[in-house]
Short mmCIF file of all heavy atoms in Angstrom, two decimals:
data_model
loop_
_atom_site.label_atom_id
_atom_site.label_comp_id
_atom_site.label_asym_id
_atom_site.label_seq_id
_atom_site.Cartn_x
_atom_site.Cartn_y
_atom_site.Cartn_z
N HIS A 36 82.87 101.67 117.57
CA HIS A 36 81.92 100.77 116.94
C HIS A 36 82.59 99.90 115.87
O HIS A 36 82.17 98.77 115.64
CB HIS A 36 80.76 101.55 116.36
CG HIS A 36 79.85 102.11 117.42
ND1 HIS A 36 79.09 101.30 118.22
CD2 HIS A 36 79.61 103.35 117.81
CE1 HIS A 36 78.41 102.05 119.06
NE2 HIS A 36 78.71 103.29 118.84
N LYS A 37 83.64 100.45 115.24
CA LYS A 37 84.36 99.64 114.28
C LYS A 37 85.00 98.42 114.95
O LYS A 37 84.96 97.30 114.45
CB LYS A 37 85.46 100.47 113.62
CG LYS A 37 86.31 99.71 112.61
CD LYS A 37 87.37 100.59 112.00
CE LYS A 37 88.30 99.82 111.07
NZ LYS A 37 89.34 100.66 110.50
N GLU A 38 85.59 98.67 116.14
CA GLU A 38 86.19 97.57 116.89
C GLU A 38 85.16 96.52 117.29
O GLU A 38 85.39 95.32 117.20
CB GLU A 38 86.91 98.10 118.14
CG GLU A 38 88.15 98.93 117.80
CD GLU A 38 88.75 99.57 119.01
OE1 GLU A 38 88.24 99.32 120.13
OE2 GLU A 38 89.70 100.33 118.86
N ARG A 39 83.99 96.97 117.71
CA ARG A 39 82.93 96.03 118.08
C ARG A 39 82.44 95.26 116.85
O ARG A 39 82.12 94.08 116.94
CB ARG A 39 81.76 96.80 118.71
CG ARG A 39 82.06 97.31 120.09
CD ARG A 39 82.34 96.19 121.08
NE ARG A 39 81.20 95.31 121.18
CZ ARG A 39 81.29 94.00 121.33
NH1 ARG A 39 82.45 93.40 121.38
NH2 ARG A 39 80.19 93.28 121.42
N LEU A 40 82.36 95.94 115.71
CA LEU A 40 81.96 95.27 114.50
C LEU A 40 82.94 94.20 114.11
O LEU A 40 82.57 93.08 113.73
CB LEU A 40 81.81 96.30 113.36
CG LEU A 40 81.40 95.72 111.99
CD1 LEU A 40 80.06 95.03 112.10
CD2 LEU A 40 81.35 96.83 110.97
N MET A 41 84.25 94.52 114.22
CA MET A 41 85.25 93.53 113.88
C MET A 41 85.20 92.35 114.85
O MET A 41 85.39 91.20 114.45
CB MET A 41 86.64 94.16 113.89
CG MET A 41 86.85 95.22 112.82
SD MET A 41 86.45 94.63 111.16
CE MET A 41 87.67 93.32 110.98
N ALA A 42 84.91 92.63 116.12
CA ALA A 42 84.79 91.52 117.07
C ALA A 42 83.62 90.62 116.68
O ALA A 42 83.70 89.39 116.77
CB ALA A 42 84.58 92.06 118.49
N GLN A 43 82.55 91.25 116.22
CA GLN A 43 81.39 90.46 115.78
C GLN A 43 81.74 89.59 114.56
O GLN A 43 81.34 88.43 114.47
CB GLN A 43 80.23 91.39 115.42
CG GLN A 43 79.00 90.63 114.93
CD GLN A 43 77.89 91.60 114.55
OE1 GLN A 43 77.87 92.75 114.97
NE2 GLN A 43 76.95 91.11 113.76
N ILE A 44 82.56 90.15 113.66
CA ILE A 44 82.92 89.41 112.46
C ILE A 44 83.71 88.16 112.83
O ILE A 44 83.59 87.12 112.19
CB ILE A 44 83.75 90.31 111.53
CG1 ILE A 44 82.87 91.45 110.97
CG2 ILE A 44 84.33 89.50 110.37
CD1 ILE A 44 83.65 92.47 110.20
N HIS A 45 84.51 88.26 113.89
CA HIS A 45 85.42 87.16 114.22
C HIS A 45 84.92 86.19 115.29
O HIS A 45 85.60 85.24 115.60
CB HIS A 45 86.77 87.74 114.68
CG HIS A 45 87.55 88.32 113.56
ND1 HIS A 45 88.19 87.56 112.62
CD2 HIS A 45 87.76 89.61 113.19
CE1 HIS A 45 88.77 88.35 111.72
NE2 HIS A 45 88.53 89.60 112.07
N ASP A 46 83.72 86.43 115.86
CA ASP A 46 83.27 85.54 116.91
C ASP A 46 82.33 84.48 116.40
O ASP A 46 82.07 84.36 115.23
CB ASP A 46 82.65 86.31 118.09
CG ASP A 46 81.33 86.97 117.73
OD1 ASP A 46 80.86 86.75 116.61
OD2 ASP A 46 80.79 87.68 118.57
N GLU A 47 81.83 83.65 117.32
CA GLU A 47 80.79 82.69 117.08
C GLU A 47 81.17 81.62 116.06
O GLU A 47 80.31 81.02 115.41
CB GLU A 47 79.48 83.36 116.63
CG GLU A 47 78.95 84.31 117.68
CD GLU A 47 77.68 84.99 117.23
OE1 GLU A 47 77.01 84.46 116.33
OE2 GLU A 47 77.37 86.05 117.78
N SER A 48 82.45 81.35 115.90
CA SER A 48 82.92 80.28 115.01
C SER A 48 82.40 80.41 113.60
O SER A 48 82.09 79.44 112.94
CB SER A 48 82.51 78.91 115.57
OG SER A 48 83.10 78.68 116.80
N ARG A 49 82.30 81.64 113.12
CA ARG A 49 81.66 81.80 111.81
C ARG A 49 82.51 82.57 110.81
O ARG A 49 82.00 82.90 109.76
CB ARG A 49 80.35 82.58 111.95
CG ARG A 49 79.35 82.00 112.92
CD ARG A 49 78.11 82.85 112.84
NE ARG A 49 77.49 83.04 114.12
CZ ARG A 49 76.56 83.94 114.37
NH1 ARG A 49 76.16 84.75 113.44
NH2 ARG A 49 76.04 84.06 115.55
N THR A 50 83.81 82.89 111.09
CA THR A 50 84.25 84.06 110.38
C THR A 50 85.57 84.11 109.62
O THR A 50 85.81 85.14 109.03
CB THR A 50 84.36 85.23 111.37
OG1 THR A 50 85.18 84.78 112.43
CG2 THR A 50 83.02 85.65 111.83
N THR A 51 86.46 83.27 109.62
CA THR A 51 87.76 83.62 109.10
C THR A 51 87.84 83.71 107.58
O THR A 51 88.65 84.45 107.05
CB THR A 51 88.81 82.59 109.55
OG1 THR A 51 88.38 81.30 109.16
CG2 THR A 51 89.00 82.67 111.04
N THR A 52 87.00 83.00 106.87
CA THR A 52 87.12 83.00 105.42
C THR A 52 86.00 83.75 104.73
O THR A 52 85.69 83.53 103.59
CB THR A 52 87.13 81.55 104.89
OG1 THR A 52 85.89 80.91 105.30
CG2 THR A 52 88.32 80.80 105.45
N ALA A 53 85.39 84.67 105.46
CA ALA A 53 84.26 85.39 104.86
C ALA A 53 84.73 86.25 103.70
O ALA A 53 85.78 86.88 103.76
CB ALA A 53 83.61 86.31 105.92
N PRO A 54 83.95 86.33 102.63
CA PRO A 54 84.29 87.20 101.52
C PRO A 54 84.12 88.66 101.89
O PRO A 54 83.59 88.97 102.96
CB PRO A 54 83.27 86.79 100.44
CG PRO A 54 82.08 86.29 101.22
CD PRO A 54 82.69 85.61 102.43
N ALA A 55 84.56 89.52 101.02
CA ALA A 55 84.41 90.96 101.28
C ALA A 55 82.95 91.27 101.50
O ALA A 55 82.05 90.74 100.84
CB ALA A 55 84.94 91.76 100.08
N ALA A 56 82.69 92.19 102.45
CA ALA A 56 81.32 92.51 102.83
C ALA A 56 80.58 93.15 101.67
O ALA A 56 81.04 94.09 101.05
CB ALA A 56 81.31 93.44 104.04
N ALA A 57 79.39 92.62 101.38
CA ALA A 57 78.54 93.23 100.37
C ALA A 57 77.78 94.36 101.01
O ALA A 57 77.63 94.44 102.24
CB ALA A 57 77.55 92.17 99.85
N PRO A 58 77.26 95.30 100.22
CA PRO A 58 76.46 96.38 100.80
C PRO A 58 75.31 95.79 101.58
O PRO A 58 74.65 94.84 101.14
CB PRO A 58 75.97 97.15 99.56
CG PRO A 58 76.98 96.83 98.50
CD PRO A 58 77.40 95.42 98.77
N ALA A 59 75.05 96.35 102.76
CA ALA A 59 74.02 95.79 103.61
C ALA A 59 72.64 96.05 103.04
O ALA A 59 72.33 97.15 102.60
CB ALA A 59 74.12 96.45 105.00
N ARG A 60 71.81 95.03 103.07
CA ARG A 60 70.43 95.22 102.67
C ARG A 60 69.69 95.87 103.82
O ARG A 60 70.01 95.67 104.99
CB ARG A 60 69.80 93.87 102.31
CG ARG A 60 70.47 93.23 101.12
CD ARG A 60 69.71 92.00 100.68
NE ARG A 60 69.67 90.95 101.67
CZ ARG A 60 70.66 90.09 101.90
NH1 ARG A 60 71.78 90.17 101.22
NH2 ARG A 60 70.53 89.16 102.82
N PRO A 61 68.62 96.66 103.55
CA PRO A 61 67.97 97.42 104.63
C PRO A 61 67.50 96.55 105.77
O PRO A 61 67.57 96.93 106.92
CB PRO A 61 66.80 98.07 103.90
CG PRO A 61 67.26 98.21 102.48
CD PRO A 61 68.11 96.99 102.21
N GLN A 62 66.99 95.34 105.49
CA GLN A 62 66.45 94.53 106.57
C GLN A 62 67.52 94.01 107.50
O GLN A 62 67.21 93.46 108.56
CB GLN A 62 65.65 93.34 106.03
CG GLN A 62 66.44 92.39 105.16
CD GLN A 62 66.32 92.71 103.70
OE1 GLN A 62 66.28 93.88 103.34
NE2 GLN A 62 66.25 91.70 102.84
N GLU A 63 68.79 94.18 107.15
CA GLU A 63 69.87 93.69 108.01
C GLU A 63 70.24 94.68 109.10
O GLU A 63 71.00 94.36 110.00
CB GLU A 63 71.11 93.39 107.18
CG GLU A 63 70.92 92.18 106.27
CD GLU A 63 71.95 92.10 105.22
OE1 GLU A 63 72.78 93.03 105.13
OE2 GLU A 63 71.98 91.13 104.48
N ARG A 64 69.72 95.89 109.06
CA ARG A 64 70.09 96.90 110.03
C ARG A 64 69.85 96.42 111.44
O ARG A 64 70.66 96.57 112.33
CB ARG A 64 69.30 98.19 109.79
CG ARG A 64 69.73 99.34 110.69
CD ARG A 64 68.82 100.53 110.54
NE ARG A 64 67.53 100.25 111.06
CZ ARG A 64 67.22 100.42 112.33
NH1 ARG A 64 68.12 100.85 113.19
NH2 ARG A 64 66.01 100.16 112.78
N ARG A 65 68.71 95.78 111.68
CA ARG A 65 68.39 95.37 113.03
C ARG A 65 69.36 94.32 113.56
O ARG A 65 69.62 94.24 114.74
CB ARG A 65 66.97 94.82 113.08
CG ARG A 65 65.92 95.91 112.90
CD ARG A 65 65.86 96.83 114.07
NE ARG A 65 65.42 96.13 115.28
CZ ARG A 65 65.54 96.62 116.50
NH1 ARG A 65 66.10 97.78 116.70
NH2 ARG A 65 65.12 95.91 117.52
N ALA A 66 69.91 93.51 112.66
CA ALA A 66 70.84 92.48 113.12
C ALA A 66 72.04 93.10 113.79
O ALA A 66 72.57 92.56 114.75
CB ALA A 66 71.27 91.61 111.94
N TRP A 67 72.46 94.27 113.33
CA TRP A 67 73.61 94.91 113.97
C TRP A 67 73.17 95.69 115.20
O TRP A 67 73.87 95.74 116.19
CB TRP A 67 74.30 95.84 112.99
CG TRP A 67 75.67 96.20 113.44
CD1 TRP A 67 76.70 95.34 113.72
CD2 TRP A 67 76.16 97.50 113.68
NE1 TRP A 67 77.80 96.04 114.12
CE2 TRP A 67 77.52 97.37 114.09
CE3 TRP A 67 75.63 98.76 113.60
CZ2 TRP A 67 78.32 98.45 114.42
CZ3 TRP A 67 76.41 99.85 113.90
CH2 TRP A 67 77.74 99.68 114.31
N PHE A 68 71.98 96.25 115.17
CA PHE A 68 71.52 97.00 116.33
C PHE A 68 71.31 96.11 117.54
O PHE A 68 71.39 96.53 118.66
CB PHE A 68 70.21 97.74 116.02
CG PHE A 68 70.42 99.10 115.47
CD1 PHE A 68 70.53 99.31 114.12
CD2 PHE A 68 70.58 100.18 116.32
CE1 PHE A 68 70.75 100.57 113.62
CE2 PHE A 68 70.81 101.45 115.83
CZ PHE A 68 70.88 101.65 114.46
N ARG A 69 71.02 94.81 117.30
CA ARG A 69 70.86 93.92 118.43
C ARG A 69 72.17 93.63 119.14
O ARG A 69 72.18 93.18 120.26
CB ARG A 69 70.28 92.57 117.99
CG ARG A 69 68.96 92.66 117.34
CD ARG A 69 68.54 91.28 116.91
NE ARG A 69 67.69 91.39 115.74
CZ ARG A 69 67.89 90.75 114.62
NH1 ARG A 69 68.90 89.93 114.51
NH2 ARG A 69 67.09 90.92 113.61
N ARG A 70 73.27 93.81 118.42
CA ARG A 70 74.53 93.35 118.92
C ARG A 70 75.49 94.44 119.34
O ARG A 70 76.65 94.17 119.58
CB ARG A 70 75.21 92.48 117.85
CG ARG A 70 74.41 91.29 117.44
CD ARG A 70 74.36 90.28 118.56
NE ARG A 70 75.71 89.93 118.98
CZ ARG A 70 76.48 89.10 118.30
NH1 ARG A 70 76.04 88.50 117.23
NH2 ARG A 70 77.70 88.84 118.71
N PRO A 71 75.06 95.72 119.45
CA PRO A 71 76.03 96.72 119.85
C PRO A 71 76.34 96.56 121.33
O PRO A 71 75.62 95.90 122.06
CB PRO A 71 75.33 98.06 119.58
CG PRO A 71 73.91 97.74 119.72
CD PRO A 71 73.74 96.32 119.28
N VAL A 72 77.40 97.23 121.74
CA VAL A 72 77.76 97.21 123.15
C VAL A 72 76.64 97.79 123.98
O VAL A 72 76.27 97.27 125.01
CB VAL A 72 79.05 98.02 123.34
CG1 VAL A 72 79.36 98.16 124.81
CG2 VAL A 72 80.19 97.36 122.62
N ILE A 73 76.11 98.87 123.54
CA ILE A 73 75.03 99.55 124.23
C ILE A 73 73.98 99.85 123.17
O ILE A 73 74.28 99.81 121.99
CB ILE A 73 75.52 100.88 124.85
CG1 ILE A 73 76.82 100.65 125.62
CG2 ILE A 73 74.49 101.49 125.76
CD1 ILE A 73 77.59 101.91 125.88
N VAL A 74 72.78 100.16 123.57
CA VAL A 74 71.79 100.53 122.56
C VAL A 74 72.32 101.69 121.74
O VAL A 74 72.81 102.69 122.29
CB VAL A 74 70.48 100.95 123.24
CG1 VAL A 74 69.49 101.52 122.22
CG2 VAL A 74 69.85 99.77 123.94
N MET A 75 72.22 101.59 120.43
CA MET A 75 72.76 102.63 119.57
C MET A 75 71.99 103.92 119.77
O MET A 75 70.78 103.92 119.83
CB MET A 75 72.68 102.20 118.11
CG MET A 75 73.70 101.15 117.75
SD MET A 75 75.35 101.81 117.73
CE MET A 75 75.25 102.84 116.27
N PRO A 76 72.69 105.05 119.86
CA PRO A 76 71.99 106.34 119.99
C PRO A 76 71.25 106.70 118.73
O PRO A 76 71.61 106.30 117.65
CB PRO A 76 73.15 107.33 120.25
CG PRO A 76 74.33 106.68 119.61
CD PRO A 76 74.13 105.19 119.81
N LEU A 77 70.21 107.51 118.91
CA LEU A 77 69.47 107.96 117.74
C LEU A 77 70.40 108.67 116.75
O LEU A 77 70.26 108.53 115.53
CB LEU A 77 68.37 108.93 118.17
CG LEU A 77 67.23 108.34 118.99
CD1 LEU A 77 66.30 109.45 119.46
CD2 LEU A 77 66.46 107.32 118.18
N ALA A 78 71.34 109.43 117.27
CA ALA A 78 72.21 110.20 116.40
C ALA A 78 73.21 109.35 115.65
O ALA A 78 73.89 109.83 114.73
CB ALA A 78 72.98 111.25 117.22
N ALA A 79 73.31 108.08 115.99
CA ALA A 79 74.31 107.22 115.35
C ALA A 79 73.71 106.39 114.23
O ALA A 79 74.35 105.49 113.73
CB ALA A 79 74.90 106.30 116.40
N PHE A 80 72.46 106.68 113.82
CA PHE A 80 71.84 105.85 112.80
C PHE A 80 72.62 105.86 111.48
O PHE A 80 72.49 104.96 110.68
CB PHE A 80 70.41 106.31 112.53
CG PHE A 80 69.44 105.82 113.55
CD1 PHE A 80 69.87 105.03 114.60
CD2 PHE A 80 68.10 106.14 113.47
CE1 PHE A 80 68.98 104.57 115.55
CE2 PHE A 80 67.22 105.66 114.41
CZ PHE A 80 67.65 104.90 115.45
N ALA A 81 73.43 106.91 111.27
CA ALA A 81 74.22 106.95 110.04
C ALA A 81 75.18 105.80 109.94
O ALA A 81 75.59 105.41 108.85
CB ALA A 81 74.99 108.28 109.95
N LEU A 82 75.55 105.22 111.10
CA LEU A 82 76.46 104.07 111.09
C LEU A 82 75.81 102.80 110.64
O LEU A 82 76.48 101.79 110.44
CB LEU A 82 77.05 103.87 112.50
CG LEU A 82 78.15 104.83 112.91
CD1 LEU A 82 78.64 104.43 114.30
CD2 LEU A 82 79.30 104.79 111.95
N ALA A 83 74.48 102.81 110.50
CA ALA A 83 73.79 101.56 110.20
C ALA A 83 74.24 100.98 108.88
O ALA A 83 74.11 99.78 108.63
CB ALA A 83 72.28 101.80 110.14
N GLY A 84 74.77 101.81 108.00
CA GLY A 84 75.25 101.28 106.72
C GLY A 84 76.56 100.53 106.83
O GLY A 84 76.95 99.82 105.90
N VAL A 85 77.24 100.65 107.97
CA VAL A 85 78.54 99.97 108.14
C VAL A 85 78.28 98.59 108.73
O VAL A 85 78.49 98.35 109.90
CB VAL A 85 79.47 100.79 109.04
CG1 VAL A 85 80.86 100.21 109.03
CG2 VAL A 85 79.49 102.24 108.60
N ILE A 86 77.77 97.68 107.93
CA ILE A 86 77.35 96.38 108.39
C ILE A 86 77.87 95.34 107.44
O ILE A 86 78.01 95.59 106.25
CB ILE A 86 75.82 96.25 108.47
CG1 ILE A 86 75.18 97.55 109.02
CG2 ILE A 86 75.38 95.07 109.30
CD1 ILE A 86 73.68 97.56 108.94
N VAL A 87 78.15 94.14 107.96
CA VAL A 87 78.50 93.06 107.06
C VAL A 87 77.21 92.35 106.66
O VAL A 87 76.18 92.48 107.28
CB VAL A 87 79.45 92.06 107.74
CG1 VAL A 87 80.78 92.71 108.05
CG2 VAL A 87 78.81 91.49 109.01
N THR A 88 77.29 91.59 105.58
CA THR A 88 76.11 90.88 105.13
C THR A 88 75.64 89.89 106.16
O THR A 88 76.42 89.35 106.95
CB THR A 88 76.43 90.13 103.82
OG1 THR A 88 75.26 89.39 103.46
CG2 THR A 88 77.59 89.20 103.97
N GLY A 89 74.34 89.61 106.19
CA GLY A 89 73.76 88.73 107.19
C GLY A 89 74.12 87.28 106.98
O GLY A 89 73.89 86.43 107.84
N THR A 90 74.64 86.92 105.82
CA THR A 90 75.07 85.56 105.58
C THR A 90 76.52 85.44 106.00
O THR A 90 77.37 86.19 105.57
CB THR A 90 74.97 85.22 104.08
OG1 THR A 90 73.62 85.43 103.67
CG2 THR A 90 75.38 83.80 103.81
N VAL A 91 76.84 84.48 106.88
CA VAL A 91 78.18 84.38 107.43
C VAL A 91 78.78 83.04 107.12
O VAL A 91 78.09 82.07 106.84
CB VAL A 91 78.16 84.61 108.96
CG1 VAL A 91 77.89 86.08 109.28
CG2 VAL A 91 77.07 83.77 109.61
N VAL A 92 80.11 83.01 107.13
CA VAL A 92 80.84 81.82 106.73
C VAL A 92 81.51 81.19 107.92
O VAL A 92 82.15 81.88 108.72
CB VAL A 92 81.89 82.17 105.66
CG1 VAL A 92 82.64 80.94 105.23
CG2 VAL A 92 81.24 82.85 104.47
#
Side-chain angles (χ1 to χ4, degrees):
H36 288 293
K37 178 181 176 181
E38 290 174 5
R39 288 297 300 143
L40 179 60
M41 294 308 297
Q43 178 181 342
I44 293 173
H45 287 287
D46 69 5
E47 299 179 21
S48 296
R49 304 184 218 166
T50 54
T51 55
T52 59
R60 297 188 297 279
Q62 61 265 37
E63 291 164 355
R64 186 186 69 86
R65 290 291 296 166
W67 197 59
F68 270 91
R69 299 178 210 128
R70 301 290 305 282
V72 173
I73 312 162
V74 173
M75 286 290 289
L77 292 175
F80 280 0
L82 282 182
V85 190
I86 319 172
V87 295
T88 178
T90 303
V91 287
V92 181

